[in-house]
Amino acid sequence: PIMKSSALLLSSAAPIAFLVLSALAAAPTSAFLSRSVSTSTPDNGSGTCLNAASGYKLGAKTTGILLNNRFVVESLGSVLPDGVEMSEIALLRFALAHPERRDAEGALKSAVRWRQGKGKEIVDAAAEAVAKATEGGGWDNDVVRNAAPHGDIINKYITPQSVITMSTDEGDLVYVIRASQIDDKELMDRATVEQVCDYFLYAKEIHNLVANSRSESTGRMCSVIFANDISGVRKAPDRRFSQALTSSSDQYESLYPSLAGPTMILNLPFVLQAFVGLLKPLFPKSVQERLVFKRAPVLAGLKELTPLATDARTKTSFVKEVKKLLP
């Protein structure tokens, strides 16, 4: 009987794990907050030392990492095609993910081909949206949402009720998703797999632009911290939705290396908490290294995620909660 119960629990855990993994690809730009970013050095006594991404710790100083990887970064800059511009931070992320120069150059060339070819419209739209959104010195999120590929269809389903991107005081992005509040079936009845995939890749490009800009302006490597709220999850996602997420996820590490920070799986059902050790292997090794299973009472107490953007007290409480949850 015990073995049967364990098997049942594991079978129910698999779709939950897939939902969380899929969320890594989604990261829609539902609610970037125009929150000010502190330029001060992070508190080294906080105990936050989890890997942010390949090759650096969360809160690492940009100048030191650039110095340690200067040779590869300069080599990458020399192989960029004419007319292609990428910041040192963008090149640094490839160097961190691929310490061997030849591997880094190959990965960069592959990403550039996508940016100049199939992904050009996505890249151009994101750059234009960020430029317009920051014209007044803050952040106009409506500009970014309205410029998203197929946003006239998808924005109805990907909203601040289910997905939000916030900032920590130090400048890291915190992407929060509550998958149970996304009507993925109705979404996929109205949008194609390719349209949804493009939407998610646009969101990643927005994250990439913001993170690289902050890394340069603050002198601190900015990462995207994933906060996946499992509250309310009862079933696996729609097959077509899964296909769109898988497609964008497959491209994530190759297009945006060294961007993802810690991945927090929050508010896992009590019945599955004892099986965390068995859930972890369901994720890629690169994700396992940054994986954190925790309870988040502030997040669990919200009926939907909108207050994280509209209520200052709730927003502050959750940002503090995130900091405490990181090792």
Side-chain angles (χ1 to χ4, degrees):
I2 295 177
M3 291 298 293
K4 289 182 179 179
S5 298
S6 299
L8 179 61
L9 288 170
L10 286 176
S11 65
S12 63
I16 292 177
F18 183 81
L19 273 172
V20 176
L21 180 58
S22 299
L24 303 182
T29 53
S30 294
F32 271 109
L33 307 183
S34 55
R35 182 186 178 95
S36 61
V37 179
S38 171
T39 58
S40 61
T41 302
D43 180 9
N44 292 330
S46 66
T48 302
C49 60
L50 194 70
N51 281 348
S54 302
Y56 69 96
K57 303 290 185 181
L58 195 66
K61 292 183 179 179
T62 304
T63 52
I65 301 177
L66 266 172
L67 182 63
N68 292 337
N69 294 273
R70 173 57 61 186
F71 173 75
V72 178
V73 170
E74 290 183 351
S75 175
L76 292 176
S78 69
V79 301
L80 284 175
D82 292 340
V84 175
E85 295 184 2
M86 294 183 71
S87 68
E88 278 196 328
I89 299 299
L91 297 176
L92 176 61
R93 294 192 187 276
F94 281 88
L96 290 170
H98 307 281
E100 295 296 328
R101 178 178 58 83
R102 289 184 179 180
D103 293 340
E105 289 179 357
L108 177 64
K109 290 177 180 178
S110 177
V112 168
R113 283 194 294 272
W114 179 83
R115 299 177 72 83
Q116 290 184 310
K118 187 176 181 180
K120 189 177 189 307
E121 290 187 7
I122 294 173
V123 171
D124 290 347
E128 184 178 350
V130 170
K132 289 183 178 179
T134 55
E135 280 180 350
W139 182 267
D140 186 344
N141 198 65
D142 287 339
V143 170
V144 178
R145 279 178 57 79
N146 293 338
H150 321 295
D152 55 330
I153 302 172
I154 301 172
N155 283 339
K156 177 182 177 181
Y157 303 95
I158 305 296
T159 74
Q161 293 182 332
S162 57
V163 183
I164 272 185
T165 305
M166 308 174 64
S167 294
T168 65
D169 292 330
E170 293 79 13
D172 289 311
L173 299 177
V174 183
Y175 161 63
V176 191
I177 180 170
R178 181 176 285 174
S180 62
Q181 291 184 314
I182 299 176
D183 190 344
D184 54 349
K185 184 182 184 306
E186 185 173 339
L187 165 60
M188 299 312 299
D189 284 343
R190 287 166 170 72
T192 67
V193 168
E194 185 175 3
Q195 287 174 332
V196 175
C197 181
D198 286 349
Y199 182 90
F200 291 156
L201 287 172
Y202 167 85
K204 285 301 183 185
E205 179 66 18
I206 294 289
H207 279 175
N208 185 55
L209 291 172
V210 173
N212 289 347
S213 176
R214 290 186 179 183
S215 297
E216 291 179 354
S217 63
T218 66
R220 176 187 182 280
M221 286 297 288
C222 175
S223 300
V224 181
I225 300 171
F226 294 92
N228 301 283
D229 185 16
I230 309 301
S231 302
V233 171
R234 296 291 182 270
K235 60 182 179 65
D238 181 272
R239 176 185 56 79
R240 298 160 296 173
F241 191 60
S242 298
Q243 186 178 347
L245 294 177
T246 299
S247 178
S248 55
S249 178
D250 288 345
Q251 300 176 73
Y252 176 55
E253 285 295 335
S254 61
L255 297 176
Y256 307 107
S258 305
L259 179 62
T263 297
M264 300 187 295
I265 301 179
L266 306 175
N267 303 318
L268 195 68
F270 179 77
V271 70
L272 292 178
Q273 290 178 18
F275 293 85
V276 165
L278 298 175
L279 284 173
K280 212 167 185 180
L282 297 175
F283 297 87
K285 288 185 178 180
S286 60
V287 176
Q288 291 181 36
E289 296 171 355
R290 306 189 304 269
L291 206 53
V292 178
F293 290 85
K294 296 285 186 177
R295 293 289 298 171
V298 173
L299 191 59
L302 300 177
K303 292 183 179 180
E304 40 106 346
L305 302 183
T306 306
L308 294 176
T310 59
D311 184 82
R313 180 176 297 181
T314 301
K315 179 170 59 179
T316 300
S317 296
F318 178 65
V319 170
K320 289 181 178 179
E321 183 171 69
V322 167
K323 189 171 183 179
K324 290 179 179 179
L325 292 175
L326 294 175

